[in-house]
């Protein structure tokens, strides 16, 4: 395989992955200038891996607890199914990012494990991270849209978004995003090769380049390209703005309602009417709590997803910022940092659920045997 062919595929992969990973012949090419030296770049990437490991440790434990807790709470509310599906995708995303960070850590790379880690990281970590990240993004957009529909058409939303339709959406979402990631194994081959640097035979990757396989890589790139990345992000932004407005209106309504019932409390009959409307008030309070939970999840998603989206947009706009350009190491470091931030997005939901949902908090405490 020619070096130029290798660069083409590596360029395509690095632009759609959420974390970097390129073999040494791309990192250390002497004929390309870069702002970051190879030694400094590898040091920065190694430091970044320790941040990824720390976040990933929290994310794996947190998402495991989320999955177990929602399994105990049940799915009487269809949104719990979305929370559970998002926890599964977050778990896959965090695990993939941690694996990618492990491959970039020199202690692992130079260990006794016979793997060419910086080659293997692309098909084993890059595409799975991208796929799980897209799944999380679509589920976040889905629950944000569902909350908006609860405000706009509260009487119809339960018939439009049923548990069965939620399951269909979740399954389709997973299949739609995981299938292209699996197709990458058609264009790559794992093979044993001799490494002069390590003086031993290691497992590496070879990229295939016949016309059909090249067309397949183009399809995968188009599928994971910018439009699909920005659609859920834009959806979440719009829905979050709408939810903020709706929650502010609800807070004003509760304040006005409280003042009215206080004045009317002097009349017993009107007190009876007030008690009759207490159930509606509790229902609205529950919907507001769910809305606030979704809003916080959406805001965290927007903040954590924006760096990767912006980095990918710049990559497409500036050729020198790509994996074959003079700023390739800067691109890879920024992409790795965005991956770490993305891992944060996939790790913090347990703290959001714990603080926003009394039912989740109680179920989690029972799961951890903190209460009877």
């Amino acid at each position: 395989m020619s070096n130029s062919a290798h660069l083409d595929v590596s360029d395509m992969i690095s632009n759609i992955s959420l974390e970097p990973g390129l073999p040494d012949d791309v990192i250390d090419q002497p004929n390309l200038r870069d702002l970051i030296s190879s030694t400094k770049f590898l040091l920065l990437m190694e430091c970044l891996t320790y941040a990824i490991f720390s976040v990933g440790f929290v994310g794996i434990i947190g998402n495991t607890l989320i999955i177990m807790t929602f399994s105990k709470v049940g799915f009487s509310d269809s949104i719990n199914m979305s929370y559970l599906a998002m926890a599964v995708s977050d778990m896959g995303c965090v695990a993939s990012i941690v694996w990618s960070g492990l491959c970039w850590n020199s202690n692992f790379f130079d260990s006794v494990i016979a793997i060419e880690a910086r080659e293997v990281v692309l098909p084993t970590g890059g595409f799975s991270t991208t796929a799980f990240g897209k799944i999380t993004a679509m589920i976040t957009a889905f629950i944000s849209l569902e909350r908006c529909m609860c405000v706009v058409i509260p009487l119809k939303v339960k018939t439009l978004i049923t548990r069965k339709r939620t399951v269909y959406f979740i399954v389709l979402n997973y299949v739609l995003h995981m299938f292209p990631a699996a197709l990458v194994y058609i264009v790559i081959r794992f093979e044993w090769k001799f490494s002069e640097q390590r003086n031993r035979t290691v497992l590496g990757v070879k990229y295939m380049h016949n016309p059909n396989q090249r067309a397949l890589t183009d399809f995968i790139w188009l599928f994971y390209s910018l439009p699909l990345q920005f659609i859920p992000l834009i959806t979440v932004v719009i829905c979050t703005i709408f939810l903020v407005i709706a929650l502010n209106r609800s807070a004003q309504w509760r304040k006005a309602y409280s003042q009215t019932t206080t004045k009317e409390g002097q009349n017993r009959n009107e007190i009876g009417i007030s008690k009759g409307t207490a159930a509606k008030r509790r229902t609205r309070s529950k919907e507001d709590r769910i809305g606030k939970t979704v809003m916080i999840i959406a805001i965290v998603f927007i903040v954590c997803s924006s760096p990767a989206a912006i980095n990918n947009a710049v990559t497409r706009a500036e050729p020198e910022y790509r994996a074959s350009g003079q700023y390739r190491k800067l691109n890879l470091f920024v992409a790795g940092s965005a991956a770490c931030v993305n891992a944060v997005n996939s790790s913090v939901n347990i703290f959001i659920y714990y603080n926003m949902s009394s039912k989740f908090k109680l179920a989690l405490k029972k799961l951890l045997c903190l209460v009877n």
Side-chain angles (χ1 to χ4, degrees), residues 282-323:
R282 286 194 299 269
T283 300
R284 183 153 188 169
S285 178
K286 176 185 175 182
E287 292 296 321
D288 286 349
R289 284 198 303 271
I290 295 175
K292 289 179 181 178
T293 302
V294 173
M295 184 185 68
I296 295 172
I297 292 172
I299 291 173
V300 172
F301 169 77
I302 293 168
V303 172
C304 294
S305 298
S306 296
I310 295 171
N311 187 62
N312 285 343
V314 175
T315 301
R316 303 320 307 169
E318 176 52 61
E320 291 300 324
Y321 192 65
R322 299 178 187 178

Side-chain angles (χ1 to χ4, degrees), residues 5 7 19 55 122 169 190 194 200 224 229 239 305 320-321 362:
L7 275 174
E19 82 289 333
V55 176
L122 288 169
F169 168 79
F190 292 100
F194 182 78
R200 64 180 302 178
Y224 286 135
Q229 183 165 13
C239 291
S305 298
E320 291 300 324
Y321 192 65
L362 180 60

Side-chain angles (χ1 to χ4, degrees), residues 91-106:
M91 173 77 81
C93 187
V94 170
S96 298
I97 293 175
V98 169
W99 165 251
S100 299
L102 190 65
C103 290
W104 272 105
N105 190 287
S106 61

Side-chain angles (χ1 to χ4, degrees), residues 116-330:
E116 195 68 35
R118 292 170 193 160
E119 290 186 10
V120 174
V121 64
L122 288 169
T124 60
F127 280 100
S128 59
T129 300
T130 303
F132 283 119
K134 302 295 186 186
I135 292 170
T136 295
M138 291 301 294
I139 294 176
T140 305
F142 178 79
I143 62 175
S144 299
L145 187 60
E146 179 184 4
R147 283 300 98 191
C148 288
M149 292 176 64
C150 287
V151 176
V152 177
I153 46 173
L155 300 179
K156 295 183 179 180
V157 66
K158 294 297 184 181
T159 58
L160 292 175
I161 302 180
T162 62
R163 281 186 291 178
K164 182 180 291 186
R165 289 176 179 173
T166 300
V167 171
Y168 288 157
F169 168 79
I170 292 170
V171 172
L172 180 62
N173 189 28
Y174 268 85
V175 172
L176 187 64
H177 289 92
M178 293 303 297
F179 181 68
L183 290 178
V184 72
Y185 293 99
I186 297 177
V187 300
I188 65 103
R189 295 289 185 274
F190 292 100
E191 63 174 17
W192 293 97
K193 59 178 73 174
F194 182 78
S195 172
E196 295 181 0
Q197 181 182 357
R198 301 173 66 180
N199 193 29
R200 64 180 302 178
T201 301
V202 295
L203 182 65
V205 172
K206 178 181 179 181
Y207 293 94
M208 315 304 292
H209 276 283
N210 66 45
N212 291 333
Q213 290 165 333
R214 183 64 190 181
L216 183 58
T217 60
D218 291 340
F219 163 76
I220 297 172
W221 177 82
L222 287 172
F223 183 82
Y224 286 135
S225 191
L226 291 178
L228 192 63
Q229 183 165 13
F230 277 101
I231 288 173
L233 184 58
I234 293 172
T235 302
V236 172
V237 169
I238 295 173
C239 291
T240 301
I241 294 173
F242 185 86
L243 281 174
V244 170
I245 295 172
L247 288 171
N248 285 335
R249 288 178 178 175
S250 181
Q252 293 173 0
W253 175 87
R254 284 199 306 271
K255 183 178 179 179
Y257 178 85
S258 178
Q259 293 174 349
T260 301
T261 52
T262 300
K263 292 178 180 179
E264 293 178 347
Q266 299 174 357
N267 187 294
R268 291 185 178 181
N269 292 331
E270 292 182 353
I271 290 176
I273 295 174
S274 177
K275 291 181 179 179
T277 60
K280 292 183 179 181
R281 189 177 182 182
R282 286 194 299 269
T283 300
R284 183 153 188 169
S285 178
K286 176 185 175 182
E287 292 296 321
D288 286 349
R289 284 198 303 271
I290 295 175
K292 289 179 181 178
T293 302
V294 173
M295 184 185 68
I296 295 172
I297 292 172
I299 291 173
V300 172
F301 169 77
I302 293 168
V303 172
C304 294
S305 298
S306 296
I310 295 171
N311 187 62
N312 285 343
V314 175
T315 301
R316 303 320 307 169
E318 176 52 61
E320 291 300 324
Y321 192 65
R322 299 178 187 178
S324 56
Q326 64 176 343
Y327 306 123
R328 65 198 184 283
K329 295 190 186 76
L330 177 62

